[in-house]
Amino acid sequence: MINYISTRNTEIKVSSSKAILEGQAPDGGLYVPDNLDTIKLDYHDVIKHDFKGMAKVIWNTFFPDYGKDVIDELVERSYSNKFSNKKITPITGVGNDFVLELYYGPTAAFKDIALSALPNLLTKAREMNSFTDEILILTATSGDTGSAALHGFSDVPGTSIIVFYPDGGVSETQRLQMVTASGANACACAIKGNFDDAQSGVKKLFNDIPKPAKGVALSSANSINIGRLVPQIVYYFSAYKQLLETESIKDGSKVNFIVPTGNFGDIMAGYFALQMGLPVNKLICASNSNDVLTEFFETGHYDRKRTFHKTTSPSMDILVSSNLERLLHYICGAEHTAEYMKALAENGEYQITTDELAKLKSVFIGISATDTQASEAIGSVYKNRNYLMDTHTAIAWSCLEKFKDKAWAYSENDEDAEYTNVVLATASPYKFCQSVLTSIGAEPAFSDQANMVKCQELTGVPIPAGLADIFSKEIRHTDVIPTSDMAEYVVDYAKSIGV
Ligand SMILES: *Cc1c(COP(=O)(O)O)cnc(C)c1O
């Protein structure tokens, strides 16, 4: 049976429900399955089910201490009546390639898939471990996690949530989705800093004030929580199932997945899918101009000491990709992972060994694209294929084009370019409407609301229901604080909900 260990220390070992409850290991590491052999299975036994059925098999594999009946119930609760497409994550052919659409949830980004699940997993974990404290979820967001988490945890008993987002670092639509969040247990707060400041601030709070008030304990909804990562594995299987059903591939053929990457959670789920036995060829890690991962997969040198770029794909504006630590654990072992993470914290960089780099390259390819290239991709794919993409998906699409043009430059294996390609579409184009309109050659209007209406008129793609009403909802959260005040903010909030 799977247990979870810290990426930095194999001696720290807990059950799956405990790992979900704690969010992060006490030594600052992330929880990972102690043995990848225990997650291996025959993928046919997964893809014979519908989305919920696949989720049940996968959750059962990763979260054995919940028990099958409980998992069945939690999956049903997580995915019934929340998604506007009955396949939940449908796949669409665009030219000779495929796009896996992950944005039919309540907040129109792929994070809904995991954040519909996590609150259910977490409240059950609380019960299973006889935990009586109120759980205060702290989340740093580059835009999309915030609204998805506020939505997922809204009025879930036994939990409260604070979301920290970079002031001025999210789109108007993303901001409105957060500041109008209506749950009585939910709050959004802007910090004066960028996403990395928000994320490192939150990480520090977990170490400094794990119990910010009597009867209150902290936990995380960021992708450092394994309960957030595992539900994302499901759509890789769903993609494969749909490719088979449409006879786009032969059973057993391998597939390349191109993943627009920020915190490395989404693509890490793809790595787990591969380890489980899904026929995956390469995982292509697509970055915007914050191309720290592109350099890393090329050279094995991780260097966060570079200029932070604000781009039109803000959810990928990240210099420290937390979940990479999980991959490091499996490639380099706990001891090296601990060393590298220490070096990253102290010097802002680390270098893995040649052998480790070779292992990484056997699965991963890092490619980056600029805002201009993404914008061109949106324009040309819309014009030539009548398909509308958001800015994040467009980064991945541009990276795929580069890869198809010059696979030899990115990979030592010539055959990589011959496999079927699936681009993960992580957000609805309506979340980043202004950039999308400009890219398809339209003049943006004066507000996000007007832009959405205009985009719908022009393209005929309907505005997602969850985005249509944010402009008329009451603004409930107006706080803006310096990062240095985050601890005090959390303590004050915790006191208000504690015993
Ligand atoms: C969060 C996000 C990403 C990045 O996903 P990670 O799991 O952090 O790598 C990409 N696109 C969109 C739209 C997102 O919201």
Side-chain angles (χ1 to χ4, degrees):
M1 184 148 120
I2 286 190
N3 279 300
Y4 284 79
I5 52 175
S6 164
T7 42
R8 302 180 193 179
N9 181 353
T10 56
E11 304 283 302
I12 297 176
K13 192 179 268 202
V14 297
S15 67
S16 62
S17 64
K18 200 85 195 288
I20 289 172
L21 193 58
E22 288 179 18
Q24 195 174 6
D27 64 345
L30 307 188
Y31 282 121
V32 282
D34 55 351
N35 185 343
L36 288 178
D37 289 336
T38 52
I39 63 170
K40 299 220 181 316
L41 44 69
D42 180 346
Y43 67 86
H44 299 99
D45 293 336
V46 183
I47 61 171
K48 66 185 179 202
H49 300 285
D50 65 0
F51 187 96
K52 284 192 221 165
M54 291 190 272
K56 288 172 189 171
V57 178
I58 291 166
W59 292 24
N60 260 311
T61 307
F62 279 85
F63 307 141
D65 60 322
Y66 283 75
K68 199 174 161 307
D69 293 346
V70 169
I71 291 285
D72 284 2
E73 185 198 320
L74 296 185
V75 167
E76 288 297 332
R77 208 185 298 161
S78 301
Y79 295 113
S80 299
N81 310 320
K82 278 198 188 150
F83 289 75
S84 61
N85 186 295
K86 70 178 190 311
K87 291 204 166 124
I88 301 189
T89 57
I91 203 167
T92 307
V94 179
N96 293 325
D97 303 303
F98 293 86
V99 177
L100 180 65
E101 298 177 338
L102 304 174
Y103 51 74
Y104 291 100
T107 71
F110 87 101
K111 293 187 170 75
D112 286 324
I113 291 157
L115 285 162
S116 300
L118 182 63
N120 295 318
L121 286 162
L122 192 64
T123 44
K124 196 58 173 185
R126 186 170 175 258
E127 199 183 302
M128 288 163 66
N129 291 279
S130 312
F131 197 79
T132 50
D133 283 356
E134 175 89 5
I135 296 174
L136 176 54
I137 302 289
L138 295 187
T139 291
T141 184
S142 54
D144 295 328
T145 300
S147 53
L150 288 165
H151 200 280
F153 281 96
S154 178
D155 298 323
V156 171
T159 69
S160 296
I161 173 164
I162 305 177
V163 166
F164 292 106
Y165 66 94
D167 190 26
V170 300
S171 78
E172 178 63 6
T173 300
Q174 288 176 318
R175 193 182 68 85
L176 282 174
Q177 282 184 293
M178 291 189 276
V179 298
T180 60
S182 58
N185 61 341
C187 138
C189 175
I191 59 129
K192 295 196 183 109
N194 61 32
F195 170 70
D196 285 311
D197 299 326
Q199 173 158 270
S200 56
V202 164
K203 275 194 173 173
K204 198 165 168 320
L205 295 179
F206 285 120
N207 290 327
D208 295 354
I209 45 165
K211 292 210 42 149
K214 195 155 181 277
V216 181
L218 295 184
S219 190
S220 162
N222 276 100
S223 48
I224 54 176
N225 194 314
I226 192 71
R228 164 120 179 242
L229 213 139
V230 167
Q232 298 181 341
I233 299 170
V234 180
Y235 48 73
Y236 287 89
F237 284 85
S238 163
Y240 199 84
K241 174 192 174 75
Q242 295 178 68
L243 288 173
L244 279 178
E245 276 173 356
T246 53
E247 297 180 4
S248 307
I249 55 168
K250 290 204 186 71
D251 190 17
S253 321
K254 290 185 177 178
V255 173
N256 294 323
F257 286 100
I258 301 89
V259 188
T261 295
N263 222 357
F264 210 75
D266 200 1
I267 196 167
M268 190 61 205
Y271 184 74
F272 281 126
L274 181 156
Q275 293 300 328
M276 292 179 83
L278 190 71
V280 175
N281 178 53
K282 283 278 164 31
L283 293 168
I284 297 180
C285 174
S287 302
N288 63 24
S289 344
N290 296 296
D291 55 0
V292 58
L293 288 167
T294 314
E295 181 189 342
F296 178 68
F297 284 117
E298 186 57 41
T299 65
H301 181 216
Y302 195 102
D303 185 3
R304 66 160 298 177
K305 295 174 298 171
R306 59 180 73 215
T307 312
F308 178 87
H309 299 286
K310 272 195 183 183
T311 73
T312 50
S313 44
S315 302
M316 298 159 67
D317 290 350
I318 294 176
L319 295 180
V320 180
S321 298
S322 303
N323 273 290
L324 183 65
E325 181 171 346
R326 289 197 157 101
L327 181 63
L328 290 178
H329 173 85
Y330 292 117
I331 303 284
C332 317
E335 215 168 295
H336 274 186
T337 303
E339 272 171 34
Y340 297 151
M341 291 301 105
K342 188 158 178 272
L344 182 64
E346 285 170 6
N347 315 319
E349 64 182 319
Y350 60 89
Q351 171 74 51
I352 62 171
T353 68
T354 320
D355 284 356
E356 291 165 350
L357 180 60
K359 275 194 212 163
L360 279 184
K361 284 193 174 186
S362 68
V363 179
F364 289 89
I365 296 175
I367 306 180
S368 61
T370 63
D371 279 3
T372 312
Q373 289 165 337
S375 174
E376 282 164 9
I378 295 173
S380 69
V381 172
Y382 181 66
K383 185 158 159 262
N384 302 325
R385 309 274 177 207
N386 195 28
Y387 185 79
L388 194 65
M389 293 185 297
D390 100 289
T391 49
H392 302 74
T393 312
I395 290 283
W397 188 274
S398 306
C399 292
L400 172 60
E401 283 180 339
K402 291 183 185 194
F403 176 66
K404 292 205 299 189
D405 278 355
K406 283 204 299 191
W408 49 269
Y410 295 106
S411 162
E412 282 141 30
N413 185 356
D414 290 344
E415 286 170 16
D416 282 345
E418 290 163 22
Y419 294 96
T420 299
N421 297 305
V422 178
V423 169
L424 272 61
T426 46
S428 157
Y430 283 96
K431 274 201 110 158
F432 306 94
C433 214
Q434 183 172 343
S435 306
V436 169
L437 274 177
T438 315
S439 304
I440 61 171
E443 184 80 21
F446 48 88
S447 71
D448 275 12
Q449 185 172 22
N451 282 334
M452 284 191 199
V453 173
K454 185 162 186 178
C455 190
Q456 179 166 267
E457 279 168 9
L458 271 174
T459 64
V461 178
I463 302 174
L467 294 183
D469 69 351
I470 53 169
F471 301 99
S472 53
K473 283 169 87 176
E474 181 200 351
I475 292 183
R476 299 183 61 242
H477 311 287
T478 52
D479 294 339
V480 185
I481 62 167
T483 42
S484 53
D485 288 359
M486 284 168 77
E488 195 187 328
Y489 191 86
V490 169
V491 169
D492 285 348
Y493 191 88
K495 281 188 186 147
S496 75
I497 58 172
V499 288

